[in-house]
Amino acid sequence: MNDKSTDGTDLPQLTGERTVPGVPEENYWFRRHEAAYRALLPYCDGATVLEAGCGEGYGAGLIAGRARQVLALDYDEATTAHVARRYPQLWTVRANLAFLPLGSSTVDVVTSFQVIEHLWDQAGFLDECRRVLRPGGRLVVTTPNRLTFTPDSETPLNPYHTRELAPSELDGLLRAAGFGVEAGHGLRHGPRLRALDERYGGSIIDAQLDVVLGSLPGQASWPSGLLADVAGIAAEDFEIHGEDLDVSLDLVAVAVRR
């Protein structure tokens, strides 16, 4: 069963594994991901790009406006069928990220946003990314910061996550795979979202989780004020910079194949 966006477009089912655009209740997470895509688009200018783990496809669609060519790859059959229909400008392929279906040294950029935390063999995935990149090519990665995403448990809160990473752990994985780390940044709330944090007792994220986790799947009853605030969030409400990475929400890394 598919969900529909506000414009009536069929979307992959919302399970917590992937975020999608056009759903008011999902808008915080979508805009949080979109903010990272928009900040990192310059790395894709004129490039041949592999989006490893494309999900709904909105990020690969953004990249396609700047890149020469984009291969959007995901393992889920229904998801890749949706991507192929909704984003015809992409070359869409269903494949396992453990074995990227490309020859060695064939792409300029690999992007993988909010994906590595889902993988059992993170080091093997990074090895595959390095293999398909041309010398000097870039890997652009985002992932939730373990120190703030699941701060009080060794087990990720999201059941689809296998291992979340702290800043030093992501940096170490990239270097061990033979990458040079060109940039290590963090995504966090900007002024408008910090104001919403104060309005909701310290965390707009916790206010949303209280609704979702306190309800049966698909039956969450959102307070109208909270839903309006969530639906009004924009990508510009997030900041990305290299200060105080340990307190950032998401980690953002740009690594170069040596």
Side-chain angles (χ1 to χ4, degrees):
M1 177 179 179
N2 285 341
D3 294 286
K4 285 186 179 292
S5 67
T6 52
D7 63 4
T9 305
D10 286 337
L11 295 171
Q13 186 175 14
L14 280 173
T15 64
E17 185 176 13
R18 299 174 178 86
T19 191
V20 300
V23 178
E25 294 86 349
E26 187 72 6
N27 188 58
Y28 170 85
W29 301 103
F30 166 64
R31 298 300 180 185
R32 179 163 153 176
H33 296 177
E34 182 192 23
Y37 274 105
R38 291 193 179 280
L40 296 164
L41 282 177
Y43 290 103
C44 301
D45 282 346
T48 297
V49 179
L50 166 65
E51 170 84 327
C54 66
E56 189 276 338
Y58 60 85
L62 283 173
I63 292 169
R66 304 281 290 264
R68 185 173 68 85
Q69 184 179 31
V70 181
L71 168 63
L73 188 153
D74 203 277
Y75 77 94
D76 183 72
E77 184 175 4
T79 297
T80 50
H82 165 83
V83 174
R85 289 193 306 268
R86 188 166 185 180
Y87 304 97
Q89 70 272 38
L90 305 174
W91 178 28
T92 305
V93 174
R94 181 188 177 211
N96 193 319
L97 298 187
F99 305 99
L100 298 177
L102 291 170
S104 299
S105 302
T106 52
V107 299
D108 303 308
V109 178
V110 175
T111 57
S112 191
F113 285 33
Q114 307 294 312
V115 170
I116 194 170
E117 67 275 6
H118 293 258
L119 305 180
W120 289 104
D121 185 2
Q122 295 174 340
F125 169 65
L126 294 178
D127 287 342
E128 274 291 275
C129 291
R130 186 179 183 278
R131 179 185 66 79
V132 302
L133 280 166
R134 297 184 176 106
R138 288 182 172 90
L139 169 65
V140 183
V141 177
T142 74
T143 189
N145 179 7
R146 177 177 61 79
L147 302 180
T148 58
F149 200 78
T150 313
D152 301 318
S153 174
E154 291 296 319
T155 303
L157 176 65
N158 189 317
Y160 296 101
H161 292 183
T162 61
R163 179 194 177 197
E164 294 166 358
L165 301 169
S168 60
E169 292 167 334
L170 177 59
D171 184 88
L173 275 174
L174 291 168
R175 295 182 190 278
F179 287 96
V181 179
E182 184 176 282
H185 291 160
L187 176 146
R188 63 207 74 211
H189 289 172
R192 185 166 172 271
L193 279 168
R194 291 197 295 269
L196 286 179
D197 283 332
E198 293 183 10
R199 182 183 303 173
Y200 289 98
S203 174
I204 185 70
I205 298 172
D206 287 346
Q208 296 174 81
L209 292 177
D210 287 345
V211 173
V212 175
L213 297 180
S215 308
L216 294 174
Q219 298 183 21
S221 179
W222 286 73
S224 59
L226 174 60
L227 183 56
D229 285 334
V230 168
I233 293 169
E236 293 76 17
D237 293 326
F238 296 88
E239 299 176 341
I240 297 176
H241 54 73
E243 299 175 8
D244 300 323
L245 290 186
D246 284 354
V247 300
S248 65
L249 298 172
D250 293 328
L251 306 177
V252 180
V254 180
V256 179
R257 180 194 163 178
R258 292 172 172 165

